[in-house]
Amino acid sequence: MNDLGTEIHLHARVFRTGHDWYADLDDWNDPQPDDPYWYGYYTSQRAAIDAACARLAAYHLTQAHRISHQLLSPATTSG
């Protein structure tokens, strides 16, 4: 992990479980199915894919927001 903490690599899985579709996000370097970052059950494959993509986008947005604050913080405190 670098100083900004940007070394997280998530991946999505979507598969059918009986009548439902399961989706989860997990760390590519530590893919433990019993401990995902996020998971959900859906009635269609499309809904499961959309939910996983939305969650990945939310994580990306949160990460970008955190990094921008870390980069701006030294600049605003040193002036």
Side-chain angles (χ1 to χ4, degrees):
M1 183 171 293
N2 63 22
D3 293 337
L4 296 177
T6 58
E7 294 297 323
I8 189 167
H9 301 280
L10 296 177
H11 72 276
R13 285 187 309 177
V14 174
F15 57 90
R16 190 160 195 152
T17 61
H19 297 291
D20 294 325
W21 285 88
Y22 173 83
D24 75 6
L25 299 182
D26 212 345
D27 185 348
W28 186 258
N29 295 323
D30 186 25
Q32 298 298 318
D34 61 336
D35 188 24
Y37 282 93
W38 167 87
Y39 70 94
Y41 291 93
Y42 300 89
T43 57
S44 72
Q45 182 183 34
R46 180 79 261 162
I49 291 170
D50 287 347
C53 289
R55 189 59 63 153
L56 280 172
Y59 277 123
H60 176 72
L61 185 61
T62 300
Q63 180 94 349
H65 184 67
R66 184 178 56 79
I67 290 169
S68 70
H69 279 298
Q70 286 178 341
L71 292 174
L72 290 176
S73 197
T76 57
T77 58
S78 64

